[in-house]
Amino acid sequence: MGYQGVVDALLPFVPPVLRVNAKTLEELKSLCPSTDQLRGVATAANAWRLGVFALWGVGLYIAEQIGIASIFVMASILYGVLTNLGDKATDSVSVDEDGNEIELPSAYSVFNRNKQRLPGQLTTEDFESQLRHRLPREENDAVADEAFVPHNDDDSDAELREAIRRSLDDAAKKKKHKRKPRC
């Protein structure tokens, strides 16, 4: 009894509502995985992963018998985190629309080469530029570099001094109007 025999044997158990027309029946048959798809799942890499998972399960069982299962699980999580911090391995590359391989950076910029930031990552410099209504800075844009001039001397910034003065005045007013609790 081959694969098609199993499908034919299970077909009478499909509810009649789903067997009304041939199109629905063909859609159901297309949902069943083919033998080529099943062979594609049974690869050496998946067998390796299954073996590692089985070995981890045996280790967890032994750790439970000893009484250190929680330590085993925490050590496993720590190992998983530490082994996946840096740049992605060479087998973890993405492919662009032209078929060229692209290295995937780590989500933590301190672990990337040259501390490369992720696209769209918000930094304190970007946030400060937005607050001061400056043009956004782009990494390879000479015009943006000329427009972005960091102000190291905040004492000469009149807007900043005025904002600080108003903030201190508001704080003083709140302190003055604060009610004393009744006993």
Side-chain angles (χ1 to χ4, degrees):
M1 182 176 198
Y3 177 75
Q4 189 61 37
V6 172
V7 172
D8 291 337
L10 293 176
L11 192 59
F13 298 103
V14 175
V17 175
L18 298 176
R19 288 189 281 150
V20 171
N21 58 25
K23 181 180 177 185
T24 306
L25 184 61
E26 291 301 318
E27 288 176 5
L28 284 176
K29 285 183 179 180
S30 69
L31 293 176
C32 295
S34 68
T35 53
D36 292 336
Q37 290 173 332
L38 292 175
R39 284 187 194 120
V41 171
T43 62
N46 287 343
W48 171 258
R49 290 182 188 110
L50 182 64
V52 168
F53 182 71
L55 186 63
W56 184 84
V58 169
L60 180 62
Y61 176 76
I62 293 171
E64 177 65 32
Q65 296 303 316
I66 297 172
I68 58 168
S70 59
I71 295 172
F72 182 79
V73 170
M74 287 187 292
S76 299
I77 291 171
L78 183 63
Y79 174 77
V81 168
L82 291 178
T83 56
N84 290 301
L85 280 179
D87 283 342
K88 300 291 183 188
T90 55
D91 60 341
S92 297
V93 294
S94 181
V95 179
D96 65 0
E97 51 276 342
D98 297 331
N100 302 326
E101 292 183 351
I102 303 170
E103 285 190 28
L104 299 173
S106 171
Y108 304 99
S109 58
V110 294
F111 296 111
N112 292 331
R113 287 186 203 100
N114 301 326
K115 297 190 179 6
Q116 174 191 3
R117 294 184 178 139
L118 296 177
Q121 182 176 353
L122 184 64
T123 62
T124 54
E125 292 86 13
D126 298 331
F127 184 68
E128 183 179 344
S129 295
Q130 288 176 0
L131 286 176
R132 294 177 184 259
H133 303 293
R134 294 184 188 142
L135 294 175
R137 181 177 186 194
E138 296 179 16
E139 290 183 20
N140 296 325
D141 190 6
V143 175
D145 284 340
E146 292 172 7
F148 182 79
V149 178
H151 293 288
N152 294 330
D153 187 16
D154 286 336
D155 292 335
S156 63
D157 192 354
E159 292 177 12
L160 181 62
R161 283 196 321 249
E162 180 65 22
I164 291 172
R165 185 189 64 75
R166 288 183 181 178
S167 175
L168 292 174
D169 288 346
D170 290 344
K173 287 178 185 177
K174 285 181 183 178
K175 192 173 185 181
K176 220 185 263 187
H177 295 290
K178 197 174 191 182
R179 292 184 178 176
K180 294 181 182 178
R182 295 182 185 176
C183 295

